[in-house]
């Protein structure tokens, strides 16, 4: 089944404890993104990647890092999490080329930073 | 980057009533997408509109792109309980090259009373 997977789905952690949220897609998509969703603010892009080793900042990159060493994986790294990073996180991917621009979203990771 | 305002933020309807959500921009849009997010779920692609004045239908859902390509709407006829969720419009970032991903409206929460 074509899908985007994220792990963990739920995480409660403490301020300053480094964490990684994994994202993997099995559709051979070139493009991947991370979004965070907060009440009243909708979804905002954190980082995106256009291909292996090609990443760039979205609208809210502060406090986050990403890497794209393999085409299928796009982990989100919080080196020193803070309470304002408590949020619902979504990874998404899409194929390359022009035309339809559908984004395929993962199931989400609910992160709480105490 | 381009921004889009989505209204209303919340809409309560009785089952069987119609529902409409609107997205408006101060600038001309190259394209617009619509996504649905069920409670506890992830955004799911519904449709993409590209042409001025475009109207597309999916069963009880009708999507419109304004003649000036500055606004779009999603209309649901005779709502059902399965329509509950949040509906987002989204713009493709970097349509002319460069950035990737989506810029989302803040969404309209559709609440249906049986």
């Amino acid at each position: 089944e074509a899908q985007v997977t994220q792990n963990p789905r739920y995480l409660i952690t403490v301020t300053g404890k480094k964490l990684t949220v994994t994202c993997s897609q099995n559709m051979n998509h070139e493009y991947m993104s991370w979004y965070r969703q907060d009440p009243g603010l909708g979804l905002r892009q954190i980082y995106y990647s256009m291909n292996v080793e090609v990443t760039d900042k979205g609208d809210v990159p502060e406090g986050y890092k990403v890497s794209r060493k393999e085409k299928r994986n796009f982990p989100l790294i919080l080196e020193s999490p803070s309470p304002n990073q408590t949020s619902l996180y979504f990874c998404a991917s899409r194929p390359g080329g022009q035309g339809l621009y559908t984004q395929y979203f993962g199931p989400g990771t609910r992160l709480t930073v105490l | 980057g381009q921004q889009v305002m989505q209204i209303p933020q919340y809409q309560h309807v009785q089952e069987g009533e119609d529902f409409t959500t609107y997205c408006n921009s101060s600038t001309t849009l190259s394209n617009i997408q619509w996504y649905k997010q069920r409670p506890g779920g992830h955004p799911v692609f519904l449709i993409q509109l590209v042409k001025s004045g475009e109207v597309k239908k999916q069963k009880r859902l009708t999507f419109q792109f304004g003649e000036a390509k500055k606004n779009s709407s999603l209309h649901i006829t005779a709502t059902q309980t399965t329509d509950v969720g949040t509906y987002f419009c989204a713009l493709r970032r970097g349509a002319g090259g460069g950035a990737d991903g989506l810029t989302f409206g803040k969404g309209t929460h559709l609440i249906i009373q049986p």
Side-chain angles (χ1 to χ4, degrees):
Chain A
E1 180 189 354
Q3 60 183 350
V4 178
T5 56
Q6 295 179 226
N7 282 291
R9 294 290 313 280
Y10 302 89
L11 179 60
I12 301 174
T13 189
V14 295
T15 298
K17 186 176 181 181
K18 181 179 179 179
L19 67 93
T20 299
V21 184
T22 65
C23 172
S24 183
Q25 49 94 6
N26 62 2
M27 296 170 280
N28 201 37
H29 286 171
E30 293 178 7
Y31 296 83
M32 299 185 75
S33 288
W34 275 103
Y35 298 87
R36 60 177 290 173
Q37 184 174 25
D38 302 288
L41 297 177
L43 290 111
R44 295 175 292 167
Q45 190 187 51
I46 304 170
Y47 267 95
Y48 64 94
S49 170
M50 292 186 172
N51 215 324
V52 175
E53 302 292 0
V54 181
T55 64
D56 207 345
K57 297 176 181 178
D59 293 322
V60 289
E62 293 77 20
Y64 304 95
K65 286 175 58 177
V66 293
S67 69
R68 188 96 181 271
K69 293 183 170 56
E70 304 167 284
K71 196 172 186 179
R72 64 184 294 129
N73 297 322
F74 190 42
L76 179 69
I77 304 155
L78 285 72
E79 296 261 355
S80 183
S82 62
N84 64 13
Q85 293 178 298
T86 292
S87 188
L88 178 58
Y89 291 88
F90 289 102
C91 179
S93 72
R94 73 168 184 95
Q98 297 301 313
L100 198 59
Y101 196 75
T102 306
Q103 299 265 329
Y104 296 85
F105 283 82
T109 295
R110 186 167 293 280
L111 172 65
T112 301
V113 183
L114 302 175
Chain B
Q2 288 186 312
Q3 301 292 322
V4 63
M5 178 175 292
Q6 190 171 356
I7 56 171
Q9 187 176 358
Y10 292 91
Q11 184 75 59
H12 291 77
V13 301
Q14 296 282 339
E15 188 176 7
E17 292 181 337
D18 292 357
F19 159 79
T20 305
T21 174
Y22 302 89
C23 278
N24 300 300
S25 172
S26 59
T27 60
T28 301
L29 305 172
S30 59
N31 66 86
I32 194 162
Q33 296 188 351
W34 287 92
Y35 287 78
K36 176 184 178 180
Q37 183 179 21
R38 294 181 185 271
H42 58 275
V44 174
F45 174 81
L46 294 176
I47 209 155
Q48 175 172 285
L49 304 173
V50 178
K51 299 177 182 177
S52 168
E54 191 168 15
V55 178
K56 289 188 176 180
K57 293 190 176 186
Q58 292 178 351
K59 297 183 180 178
R60 294 177 296 104
L61 278 61
T62 302
F63 304 85
Q64 291 188 308
F65 203 8
E67 293 288 344
K69 299 181 74 174
K70 290 186 175 182
N71 57 75
S72 181
S73 64
L74 159 59
H75 179 82
I76 302 178
T77 303
T79 55
Q80 302 175 356
T81 55
T82 53
D83 296 325
V84 165
T86 304
Y87 293 84
F88 294 96
C89 60
L91 312 178
R92 178 180 173 180
R93 295 165 54 92
D100 194 71
L102 296 170
T103 296
F104 284 85
K106 293 186 178 180
T108 296
H109 302 266
L110 173 59
I111 299 118
I112 298 177
Q113 294 152 344

